[in-house]
Amino acid sequence: AAGAESGTGIPKSPSETMEELEHTCPQPRLTLTAPAPFADETSCQCQAPHEKLTIAQARRGTPADRPVRVYADGIFDLFHAGHARALMQAKTLFPNSYLLVGVCSDDLTHKFKGFTVMSETERYEALRHCRYVDEVIRDAPWTLTPEFLEKHKIDFVAHDDIPYSSAGSDDVYKHIKEAGMFVPTQRTEGISTSDIITRIVRDYDVYARRNLQRGYTAKELNVSFINEKKYRFQNQVDKMKEKVKNVEEKSKEFVYKVEEKSHDLIQKWEEKSREFIGNFLELFGPDGAWKQMFQERSGRMLQAFSPRQSPNSSPTRGRSPSRSPSPPWVINKTSPPSSPKAASASLSSMSEGDEDEK
């Protein structure tokens, strides 16, 4: 109809059609060399009417100049892998999508949910540097209104399907689900902002001692004077334990090296002892070289002291008869009498011989 607005605040003339109007919606980021822009710095200037898409149409794929505008919101305190995985799912719900992420301010969060660890500025910056985010909406509303959805030309809202009760409502996304604009994502089990805060509270003393050791003051940590001294004393005890542990490890290493060297020495000693014993037996054993040498030398000494007698066939045994016999008075010096009786007998025999010769 003439004068009807196209949803962007620009009147639509009767002759204007969908094909005649050029889409100028921001396109998804093709490079990741810069952080995602803020919505109030680069607003959508699309002049074409923002026609409502069904989930089937969005899943089939839309023209390149008409990405499906998906919105995801949250607090995103202590931005972690669970947040990133939820945004990844929201970005990949459709083949061609443009992901807008709304981040609630500190005032709204403290009013409806509780105190945050990170400030709103820190949370905004954390979302800008997530690779799946195309645009960040600061100071997002706690409950989505039709005016907000129309202003940012949002096609679908992505969030986990668990009813989110807050601000007096059993489910703040109930009207979005009824309008057919809700697409669910899956939560990542085992990780959440509350889990991280629980770990810090559980191990508060450990983190307080660590930050004191790194130079933070007790006032900055909101630690009392007594607790500060206690934590510092515990740090000293831990340092001493660490030193003792290092000494024990070094001593164990030293003992291991000594044992290893002693084992090598014992092994070498055993090898040398076997060699020594073998050499000793070869020299002094029953059939050793020393025994053979001793036998040879003893044989030579016996030959030197008592030479062998001449054999019977020796020429000294068969003398020529022409040679005169030895005089009878010549006494054989080589065979002395063994006793006085033998000496007298030999004298008597000599006298008898003399008589015969006479």
Side-chain angles (χ1 to χ4, degrees), residues 281-315:
L281 292 175
E282 288 180 0
L283 186 62
F284 298 102
D287 299 325
W290 178 260
K291 182 178 180 182
Q292 294 178 1
M293 183 179 65
F294 180 77
Q295 289 177 351
E296 290 177 359
R297 290 188 177 182
S298 61
R300 291 176 183 175
M301 291 176 66
L302 290 174
Q303 287 180 359
F305 287 113
S306 59
R308 294 180 179 178
Q309 295 180 356
S310 299
N312 296 329
S313 61
S314 176

PDB file of all heavy atoms in Angstrom, residues 281-315:
ATOM      1  N   LEU A 281      96.341 -69.380  36.908  1.00  0.00           N
ATOM      2  CA  LEU A 281      96.263 -70.829  36.716  1.00  0.00           C
ATOM      3  C   LEU A 281      97.141 -71.275  35.550  1.00  0.00           C
ATOM      4  O   LEU A 281      97.746 -72.355  35.594  1.00  0.00           O
ATOM      5  CB  LEU A 281      94.810 -71.244  36.479  1.00  0.00           C
ATOM      6  CG  LEU A 281      93.868 -71.092  37.692  1.00  0.00           C
ATOM      7  CD1 LEU A 281      92.440 -71.422  37.282  1.00  0.00           C
ATOM      8  CD2 LEU A 281      94.316 -71.989  38.838  1.00  0.00           C
ATOM      9  N   GLU A 282      97.181 -70.463  34.509  1.00  0.00           N
ATOM     10  CA  GLU A 282      98.049 -70.825  33.397  1.00  0.00           C
ATOM     11  C   GLU A 282      99.524 -70.854  33.815  1.00  0.00           C
ATOM     12  O   GLU A 282     100.317 -71.634  33.306  1.00  0.00           O
ATOM     13  CB  GLU A 282      97.860 -69.833  32.254  1.00  0.00           C
ATOM     14  CG  GLU A 282      96.536 -69.991  31.521  1.00  0.00           C
ATOM     15  CD  GLU A 282      96.406 -68.981  30.404  1.00  0.00           C
ATOM     16  OE1 GLU A 282      97.353 -68.183  30.220  1.00  0.00           O
ATOM     17  OE2 GLU A 282      95.362 -68.993  29.730  1.00  0.00           O
ATOM     18  N   LEU A 283      99.871 -70.000  34.793  1.00  0.00           N
ATOM     19  CA  LEU A 283     101.263 -69.917  35.211  1.00  0.00           C
ATOM     20  C   LEU A 283     101.603 -70.899  36.320  1.00  0.00           C
ATOM     21  O   LEU A 283     102.631 -71.598  36.285  1.00  0.00           O
ATOM     22  CB  LEU A 283     101.581 -68.489  35.643  1.00  0.00           C
ATOM     23  CG  LEU A 283     103.041 -68.189  35.989  1.00  0.00           C
ATOM     24  CD1 LEU A 283     103.931 -68.416  34.775  1.00  0.00           C
ATOM     25  CD2 LEU A 283     103.192 -66.761  36.492  1.00  0.00           C
ATOM     26  N   PHE A 284     100.732 -71.002  37.337  1.00  0.00           N
ATOM     27  CA  PHE A 284     101.026 -71.799  38.530  1.00  0.00           C
ATOM     28  C   PHE A 284     100.121 -73.011  38.696  1.00  0.00           C
ATOM     29  O   PHE A 284     100.143 -73.664  39.734  1.00  0.00           O
ATOM     30  CB  PHE A 284     100.890 -70.929  39.795  1.00  0.00           C
ATOM     31  CG  PHE A 284     101.843 -69.777  39.820  1.00  0.00           C
ATOM     32  CD1 PHE A 284     101.410 -68.499  39.501  1.00  0.00           C
ATOM     33  CD2 PHE A 284     103.174 -69.968  40.144  1.00  0.00           C
ATOM     34  CE1 PHE A 284     102.291 -67.431  39.530  1.00  0.00           C
ATOM     35  CE2 PHE A 284     104.053 -68.904  40.176  1.00  0.00           C
ATOM     36  CZ  PHE A 284     103.625 -67.625  39.871  1.00  0.00           C
ATOM     37  N   GLY A 285      99.291 -73.309  37.736  1.00  0.00           N
ATOM     38  CA  GLY A 285      98.389 -74.438  37.866  1.00  0.00           C
ATOM     39  C   GLY A 285      99.102 -75.771  37.742  1.00  0.00           C
ATOM     40  O   GLY A 285     100.327 -75.842  37.554  1.00  0.00           O
ATOM     41  N   PRO A 286      98.351 -76.895  37.862  1.00  0.00           N
ATOM     42  CA  PRO A 286      98.954 -78.239  37.788  1.00  0.00           C
ATOM     43  C   PRO A 286      99.732 -78.460  36.488  1.00  0.00           C
ATOM     44  O   PRO A 286     100.770 -79.114  36.475  1.00  0.00           O
ATOM     45  CB  PRO A 286      97.754 -79.176  37.882  1.00  0.00           C
ATOM     46  CG  PRO A 286      96.700 -78.385  38.559  1.00  0.00           C
ATOM     47  CD  PRO A 286      96.897 -76.980  38.134  1.00  0.00           C
ATOM     48  N   ASP A 287      99.246 -77.925  35.419  1.00  0.00           N
ATOM     49  CA  ASP A 287      99.926 -78.062  34.129  1.00  0.00           C
ATOM     50  C   ASP A 287     100.442 -76.723  33.636  1.00  0.00           C
ATOM     51  O   ASP A 287     100.527 -76.467  32.428  1.00  0.00           O
ATOM     52  CB  ASP A 287      98.964 -78.667  33.089  1.00  0.00           C
ATOM     53  CG  ASP A 287      98.505 -80.057  33.506  1.00  0.00           C
ATOM     54  OD1 ASP A 287      99.315 -80.765  34.107  1.00  0.00           O
ATOM     55  OD2 ASP A 287      97.336 -80.396  33.217  1.00  0.00           O
ATOM     56  N   GLY A 288     100.761 -75.861  34.586  1.00  0.00           N
ATOM     57  CA  GLY A 288     101.146 -74.511  34.226  1.00  0.00           C
ATOM     58  C   GLY A 288     102.562 -74.421  33.701  1.00  0.00           C
ATOM     59  O   GLY A 288     103.371 -75.342  33.774  1.00  0.00           O
ATOM     60  N   ALA A 289     102.838 -73.240  33.182  1.00  0.00           N
ATOM     61  CA  ALA A 289     104.163 -72.992  32.607  1.00  0.00           C
ATOM     62  C   ALA A 289     105.248 -73.000  33.670  1.00  0.00           C
ATOM     63  O   ALA A 289     106.384 -73.392  33.432  1.00  0.00           O
ATOM     64  CB  ALA A 289     104.142 -71.649  31.868  1.00  0.00           C
ATOM     65  N   TRP A 290     104.913 -72.568  34.875  1.00  0.00           N
ATOM     66  CA  TRP A 290     105.914 -72.541  35.950  1.00  0.00           C
ATOM     67  C   TRP A 290     106.382 -73.945  36.311  1.00  0.00           C
ATOM     68  O   TRP A 290     107.570 -74.184  36.550  1.00  0.00           O
ATOM     69  CB  TRP A 290     105.338 -71.833  37.170  1.00  0.00           C
ATOM     70  CG  TRP A 290     106.276 -71.791  38.330  1.00  0.00           C
ATOM     71  CD1 TRP A 290     106.262 -72.600  39.423  1.00  0.00           C
ATOM     72  CD2 TRP A 290     107.384 -70.924  38.493  1.00  0.00           C
ATOM     73  NE1 TRP A 290     107.273 -72.282  40.275  1.00  0.00           N
ATOM     74  CE2 TRP A 290     108.004 -71.243  39.715  1.00  0.00           C
ATOM     75  CE3 TRP A 290     107.927 -69.900  37.715  1.00  0.00           C
ATOM     76  CZ2 TRP A 290     109.110 -70.570  40.192  1.00  0.00           C
ATOM     77  CZ3 TRP A 290     109.030 -69.224  38.201  1.00  0.00           C
ATOM     78  CH2 TRP A 290     109.625 -69.567  39.423  1.00  0.00           C
ATOM     79  N   LYS A 291     105.439 -74.913  36.367  1.00  0.00           N
ATOM     80  CA  LYS A 291     105.800 -76.296  36.705  1.00  0.00           C
ATOM     81  C   LYS A 291     106.708 -76.886  35.639  1.00  0.00           C
ATOM     82  O   LYS A 291     107.712 -77.538  35.940  1.00  0.00           O
ATOM     83  CB  LYS A 291     104.538 -77.128  36.855  1.00  0.00           C
ATOM     84  CG  LYS A 291     104.816 -78.567  37.262  1.00  0.00           C
ATOM     85  CD  LYS A 291     103.525 -79.346  37.458  1.00  0.00           C
ATOM     86  CE  LYS A 291     103.835 -80.789  37.857  1.00  0.00           C
ATOM     87  NZ  LYS A 291     102.620 -81.578  38.017  1.00  0.00           N
ATOM     88  N   GLN A 292     106.364 -76.639  34.383  1.00  0.00           N
ATOM     89  CA  GLN A 292     107.201 -77.161  33.307  1.00  0.00           C
ATOM     90  C   GLN A 292     108.597 -76.558  33.354  1.00  0.00           C
ATOM     91  O   GLN A 292     109.614 -77.248  33.205  1.00  0.00           O
ATOM     92  CB  GLN A 292     106.542 -76.856  31.963  1.00  0.00           C
ATOM     93  CG  GLN A 292     105.218 -77.590  31.741  1.00  0.00           C
ATOM     94  CD  GLN A 292     104.586 -77.226  30.425  1.00  0.00           C
ATOM     95  OE1 GLN A 292     105.155 -76.438  29.658  1.00  0.00           O
ATOM     96  NE2 GLN A 292     103.422 -77.810  30.161  1.00  0.00           N
ATOM     97  N   MET A 293     108.667 -75.258  33.611  1.00  0.00           N
ATOM     98  CA  MET A 293     109.964 -74.609  33.700  1.00  0.00           C
ATOM     99  C   MET A 293     110.773 -75.151  34.871  1.00  0.00           C
ATOM    100  O   MET A 293     111.972 -75.393  34.779  1.00  0.00           O
ATOM    101  CB  MET A 293     109.767 -73.098  33.823  1.00  0.00           C
ATOM    102  CG  MET A 293     111.068 -72.292  33.857  1.00  0.00           C
ATOM    103  SD  MET A 293     110.760 -70.539  33.959  1.00  0.00           S
ATOM    104  CE  MET A 293     109.986 -70.479  35.577  1.00  0.00           C
ATOM    105  N   PHE A 294     110.062 -75.383  36.019  1.00  0.00           N
ATOM    106  CA  PHE A 294     110.744 -75.921  37.201  1.00  0.00           C
ATOM    107  C   PHE A 294     111.270 -77.327  36.933  1.00  0.00           C
ATOM    108  O   PHE A 294     112.394 -77.672  37.316  1.00  0.00           O
ATOM    109  CB  PHE A 294     109.774 -75.928  38.378  1.00  0.00           C
ATOM    110  CG  PHE A 294     110.380 -76.460  39.653  1.00  0.00           C
ATOM    111  CD1 PHE A 294     111.243 -75.678  40.416  1.00  0.00           C
ATOM    112  CD2 PHE A 294     110.099 -77.749  40.077  1.00  0.00           C
ATOM    113  CE1 PHE A 294     111.804 -76.174  41.577  1.00  0.00           C
ATOM    114  CE2 PHE A 294     110.650 -78.245  41.239  1.00  0.00           C
ATOM    115  CZ  PHE A 294     111.517 -77.456  42.002  1.00  0.00           C
ATOM    116  N   GLN A 295     110.488 -78.150  36.251  1.00  0.00           N
ATOM    117  CA  GLN A 295     110.932 -79.503  35.941  1.00  0.00           C
ATOM    118  C   GLN A 295     112.149 -79.493  35.012  1.00  0.00           C
ATOM    119  O   GLN A 295     113.098 -80.251  35.190  1.00  0.00           O
ATOM    120  CB  GLN A 295     109.789 -80.295  35.305  1.00  0.00           C
ATOM    121  CG  GLN A 295     108.675 -80.644  36.287  1.00  0.00           C
ATOM    122  CD  GLN A 295     107.525 -81.352  35.618  1.00  0.00           C
ATOM    123  OE1 GLN A 295     107.481 -81.432  34.395  1.00  0.00           O
ATOM    124  NE2 GLN A 295     106.604 -81.871  36.426  1.00  0.00           N
ATOM    125  N   GLU A 296     112.106 -78.593  34.020  1.00  0.00           N
ATOM    126  CA  GLU A 296     113.245 -78.511  33.111  1.00  0.00           C
ATOM    127  C   GLU A 296     114.517 -78.097  33.843  1.00  0.00           C
ATOM    128  O   GLU A 296     115.599 -78.670  33.667  1.00  0.00           O
ATOM    129  CB  GLU A 296     112.937 -77.525  31.990  1.00  0.00           C
ATOM    130  CG  GLU A 296     111.872 -78.025  31.017  1.00  0.00           C
ATOM    131  CD  GLU A 296     111.555 -76.989  29.975  1.00  0.00           C
ATOM    132  OE1 GLU A 296     112.142 -75.882  30.030  1.00  0.00           O
ATOM    133  OE2 GLU A 296     110.699 -77.279  29.094  1.00  0.00           O
ATOM    134  N   ARG A 297     114.407 -77.097  34.713  1.00  0.00           N
ATOM    135  CA  ARG A 297     115.595 -76.627  35.444  1.00  0.00           C
ATOM    136  C   ARG A 297     116.106 -77.677  36.427  1.00  0.00           C
ATOM    137  O   ARG A 297     117.311 -77.865  36.583  1.00  0.00           O
ATOM    138  CB  ARG A 297     115.266 -75.327  36.172  1.00  0.00           C
ATOM    139  CG  ARG A 297     115.077 -74.150  35.227  1.00  0.00           C
ATOM    140  CD  ARG A 297     114.954 -72.853  35.983  1.00  0.00           C
ATOM    141  NE  ARG A 297     114.848 -71.738  35.064  1.00  0.00           N
ATOM    142  CZ  ARG A 297     114.769 -70.464  35.462  1.00  0.00           C
ATOM    143  NH1 ARG A 297     114.798 -70.195  36.760  1.00  0.00           N
ATOM    144  NH2 ARG A 297     114.689 -69.500  34.581  1.00  0.00           N
ATOM    145  N   SER A 298     115.176 -78.359  37.125  1.00  0.00           N
ATOM    146  CA  SER A 298     115.603 -79.405  38.070  1.00  0.00           C
ATOM    147  C   SER A 298     116.307 -80.543  37.323  1.00  0.00           C
ATOM    148  O   SER A 298     117.297 -81.116  37.795  1.00  0.00           O
ATOM    149  CB  SER A 298     114.404 -79.937  38.855  1.00  0.00           C
ATOM    150  OG  SER A 298     113.458 -80.520  37.991  1.00  0.00           O
ATOM    151  N   GLY A 299     115.837 -80.909  36.142  1.00  0.00           N
ATOM    152  CA  GLY A 299     116.490 -81.955  35.345  1.00  0.00           C
ATOM    153  C   GLY A 299     117.899 -81.546  34.941  1.00  0.00           C
ATOM    154  O   GLY A 299     118.832 -82.351  34.990  1.00  0.00           O
ATOM    155  N   ARG A 300     118.061 -80.293  34.557  1.00  0.00           N
ATOM    156  CA  ARG A 300     119.398 -79.825  34.195  1.00  0.00           C
ATOM    157  C   ARG A 300     120.351 -79.854  35.387  1.00  0.00           C
ATOM    158  O   ARG A 300     121.526 -80.210  35.265  1.00  0.00           O
ATOM    159  CB  ARG A 300     119.293 -78.417  33.639  1.00  0.00           C
ATOM    160  CG  ARG A 300     118.599 -78.347  32.276  1.00  0.00           C
ATOM    161  CD  ARG A 300     118.436 -76.933  31.841  1.00  0.00           C
ATOM    162  NE  ARG A 300     117.697 -76.873  30.573  1.00  0.00           N
ATOM    163  CZ  ARG A 300     117.317 -75.720  30.004  1.00  0.00           C
ATOM    164  NH1 ARG A 300     117.614 -74.579  30.606  1.00  0.00           N
ATOM    165  NH2 ARG A 300     116.651 -75.748  28.873  1.00  0.00           N
ATOM    166  N   MET A 301     119.858 -79.493  36.565  1.00  0.00           N
ATOM    167  CA  MET A 301     120.695 -79.503  37.769  1.00  0.00           C
ATOM    168  C   MET A 301     121.102 -80.930  38.119  1.00  0.00           C
ATOM    169  O   MET A 301     122.266 -81.194  38.502  1.00  0.00           O
ATOM    170  CB  MET A 301     119.951 -78.850  38.928  1.00  0.00           C
ATOM    171  CG  MET A 301     119.753 -77.338  38.759  1.00  0.00           C
ATOM    172  SD  MET A 301     118.794 -76.615  40.079  1.00  0.00           S
ATOM    173  CE  MET A 301     119.923 -76.884  41.445  1.00  0.00           C
ATOM    174  N   LEU A 302     120.179 -81.878  38.022  1.00  0.00           N
ATOM    175  CA  LEU A 302     120.525 -83.278  38.322  1.00  0.00           C
ATOM    176  C   LEU A 302     121.579 -83.792  37.347  1.00  0.00           C
ATOM    177  O   LEU A 302     122.499 -84.528  37.733  1.00  0.00           O
ATOM    178  CB  LEU A 302     119.261 -84.148  38.248  1.00  0.00           C
ATOM    179  CG  LEU A 302     118.245 -83.929  39.380  1.00  0.00           C
ATOM    180  CD1 LEU A 302     116.987 -84.741  39.121  1.00  0.00           C
ATOM    181  CD2 LEU A 302     118.859 -84.340  40.713  1.00  0.00           C
ATOM    182  N   GLN A 303     121.458 -83.424  36.086  1.00  0.00           N
ATOM    183  CA  GLN A 303     122.465 -83.851  35.122  1.00  0.00           C
ATOM    184  C   GLN A 303     123.830 -83.254  35.433  1.00  0.00           C
ATOM    185  O   GLN A 303     124.873 -83.876  35.264  1.00  0.00           O
ATOM    186  CB  GLN A 303     122.042 -83.448  33.701  1.00  0.00           C
ATOM    187  CG  GLN A 303     120.901 -84.295  33.147  1.00  0.00           C
ATOM    188  CD  GLN A 303     120.524 -83.873  31.753  1.00  0.00           C
ATOM    189  OE1 GLN A 303     121.110 -82.925  31.222  1.00  0.00           O
ATOM    190  NE2 GLN A 303     119.574 -84.593  31.171  1.00  0.00           N
ATOM    191  N   ALA A 304     123.798 -82.029  35.938  1.00  0.00           N
ATOM    192  CA  ALA A 304     125.075 -81.371  36.253  1.00  0.00           C
ATOM    193  C   ALA A 304     125.755 -82.014  37.434  1.00  0.00           C
ATOM    194  O   ALA A 304     126.978 -82.162  37.480  1.00  0.00           O
ATOM    195  CB  ALA A 304     124.830 -79.891  36.499  1.00  0.00           C
ATOM    196  N   PHE A 305     125.018 -82.401  38.471  1.00  0.00           N
ATOM    197  CA  PHE A 305     125.602 -82.971  39.692  1.00  0.00           C
ATOM    198  C   PHE A 305     125.899 -84.459  39.560  1.00  0.00           C
ATOM    199  O   PHE A 305     126.821 -84.978  40.168  1.00  0.00           O
ATOM    200  CB  PHE A 305     124.671 -82.738  40.881  1.00  0.00           C
ATOM    201  CG  PHE A 305     124.672 -81.303  41.340  1.00  0.00           C
ATOM    202  CD1 PHE A 305     123.544 -80.522  41.196  1.00  0.00           C
ATOM    203  CD2 PHE A 305     125.818 -80.737  41.888  1.00  0.00           C
ATOM    204  CE1 PHE A 305     123.541 -79.211  41.618  1.00  0.00           C
ATOM    205  CE2 PHE A 305     125.808 -79.421  42.295  1.00  0.00           C
ATOM    206  CZ  PHE A 305     124.676 -78.646  42.175  1.00  0.00           C
ATOM    207  N   SER A 306     125.191 -85.252  38.835  1.00  0.00           N
ATOM    208  CA  SER A 306     125.392 -86.709  38.711  1.00  0.00           C
ATOM    209  C   SER A 306     125.251 -87.121  37.264  1.00  0.00           C
ATOM    210  O   SER A 306     124.168 -87.512  36.831  1.00  0.00           O
ATOM    211  CB  SER A 306     124.389 -87.465  39.586  1.00  0.00           C
ATOM    212  OG  SER A 306     123.069 -87.128  39.204  1.00  0.00           O
ATOM    213  N   PRO A 307     126.381 -87.082  36.504  1.00  0.00           N
ATOM    214  CA  PRO A 307     126.279 -87.488  35.089  1.00  0.00           C
ATOM    215  C   PRO A 307     126.067 -88.971  34.961  1.00  0.00           C
ATOM    216  O   PRO A 307     126.405 -89.746  35.846  1.00  0.00           O
ATOM    217  CB  PRO A 307     127.627 -87.062  34.516  1.00  0.00           C
ATOM    218  CG  PRO A 307     128.530 -87.000  35.686  1.00  0.00           C
ATOM    219  CD  PRO A 307     127.722 -86.577  36.854  1.00  0.00           C
ATOM    220  N   ARG A 308     125.619 -89.394  33.876  1.00  0.00           N
ATOM    221  CA  ARG A 308     125.301 -90.818  33.657  1.00  0.00           C
ATOM    222  C   ARG A 308     126.601 -91.628  33.490  1.00  0.00           C
ATOM    223  O   ARG A 308     127.612 -91.129  33.001  1.00  0.00           O
ATOM    224  CB  ARG A 308     124.441 -90.970  32.393  1.00  0.00           C
ATOM    225  CG  ARG A 308     123.065 -90.338  32.533  1.00  0.00           C
ATOM    226  CD  ARG A 308     122.302 -90.548  31.250  1.00  0.00           C
ATOM    227  NE  ARG A 308     120.976 -89.969  31.345  1.00  0.00           N
ATOM    228  CZ  ARG A 308     120.099 -89.978  30.342  1.00  0.00           C
ATOM    229  NH1 ARG A 308     120.452 -90.574  29.204  1.00  0.00           N
ATOM    230  NH2 ARG A 308     118.925 -89.444  30.498  1.00  0.00           N
ATOM    231  N   GLN A 309     126.589 -92.980  33.924  1.00  0.00           N
ATOM    232  CA  GLN A 309     127.723 -93.899  33.712  1.00  0.00           C
ATOM    233  C   GLN A 309     127.805 -94.304  32.261  1.00  0.00           C
ATOM    234  O   GLN A 309     126.816 -94.296  31.542  1.00  0.00           O
ATOM    235  CB  GLN A 309     127.562 -95.152  34.579  1.00  0.00           C
ATOM    236  CG  GLN A 309     127.617 -94.866  36.071  1.00  0.00           C
ATOM    237  CD  GLN A 309     127.465 -96.127  36.874  1.00  0.00           C
ATOM    238  OE1 GLN A 309     127.251 -97.210  36.322  1.00  0.00           O
ATOM    239  NE2 GLN A 309     127.641 -96.002  38.193  1.00  0.00           N
ATOM    240  N   SER A 310     129.066 -94.679  31.875  1.00  0.00           N
ATOM    241  CA  SER A 310     129.246 -95.088  30.479  1.00  0.00           C
ATOM    242  C   SER A 310     128.542 -96.405  30.230  1.00  0.00           C
ATOM    243  O   SER A 310     128.521 -97.288  31.088  1.00  0.00           O
ATOM    244  CB  SER A 310     130.745 -95.272  30.171  1.00  0.00           C
ATOM    245  OG  SER A 310     131.408 -94.039  30.362  1.00  0.00           O
ATOM    246  N   PRO A 311     128.078 -96.650  29.111  1.00  0.00           N
ATOM    247  CA  PRO A 311     127.408 -97.931  28.807  1.00  0.00           C
ATOM    248  C   PRO A 311     128.414 -99.071  28.687  1.00  0.00           C
ATOM    249  O   PRO A 311     129.615 -98.863  28.605  1.00  0.00           O
ATOM    250  CB  PRO A 311     126.707 -97.644  27.483  1.00  0.00           C
ATOM    251  CG  PRO A 311     127.453 -96.502  26.884  1.00  0.00           C
ATOM    252  CD  PRO A 311     127.974 -95.668  28.019  1.00  0.00           C
ATOM    253  N   ASN A 312     127.888-100.329  28.717  1.00  0.00           N
ATOM    254  CA  ASN A 312     128.746-101.523  28.662  1.00  0.00           C
ATOM    255  C   ASN A 312     129.570-101.592  27.382  1.00  0.00           C
ATOM    256  O   ASN A 312     130.660-102.152  27.345  1.00  0.00           O
ATOM    257  CB  ASN A 312     127.909-102.800  28.790  1.00  0.00           C
ATOM    258  CG  ASN A 312     127.245-102.841  30.169  1.00  0.00           C
ATOM    259  OD1 ASN A 312     127.816-102.323  31.126  1.00  0.00           O
ATOM    260  ND2 ASN A 312     126.104-103.488  30.251  1.00  0.00           N
ATOM    261  N   SER A 313     129.056-101.071  26.341  1.00  0.00           N
ATOM    262  CA  SER A 313     129.762-101.128  25.066  1.00  0.00           C
ATOM    263  C   SER A 313     130.812-100.058  24.926  1.00  0.00           C
ATOM    264  O   SER A 313     131.377 -99.865  23.876  1.00  0.00           O
ATOM    265  CB  SER A 313     128.742-101.031  23.912  1.00  0.00           C
ATOM    266  OG  SER A 313     128.056 -99.783  24.005  1.00  0.00           O
ATOM    267  N   SER A 314     131.032 -99.316  26.018  1.00  0.00           N
ATOM    268  CA  SER A 314     131.999 -98.225  25.972  1.00  0.00           C
ATOM    269  C   SER A 314     133.386 -98.786  25.785  1.00  0.00           C
ATOM    270  O   SER A 314     133.729 -99.866  26.288  1.00  0.00           O
ATOM    271  CB  SER A 314     131.938 -97.433  27.258  1.00  0.00           C
ATOM    272  OG  SER A 314     132.942 -96.440  27.248  1.00  0.00           O
ATOM    273  N   PRO A 315     134.302 -98.104  25.112  1.00  0.00           N
ATOM    274  CA  PRO A 315     135.675 -98.602  24.896  1.00  0.00           C
ATOM    275  C   PRO A 315     136.441 -98.761  26.174  1.00  0.00           C
ATOM    276  O   PRO A 315     137.364 -99.536  26.264  1.00  0.00           O
ATOM    277  CB  PRO A 315     136.292 -97.513  24.000  1.00  0.00           C
ATOM    278  CG  PRO A 315     135.158 -96.833  23.347  1.00  0.00           C
ATOM    279  CD  PRO A 315     134.023 -96.893  24.295  1.00  0.00           C
TER     280      PRO A 315
END
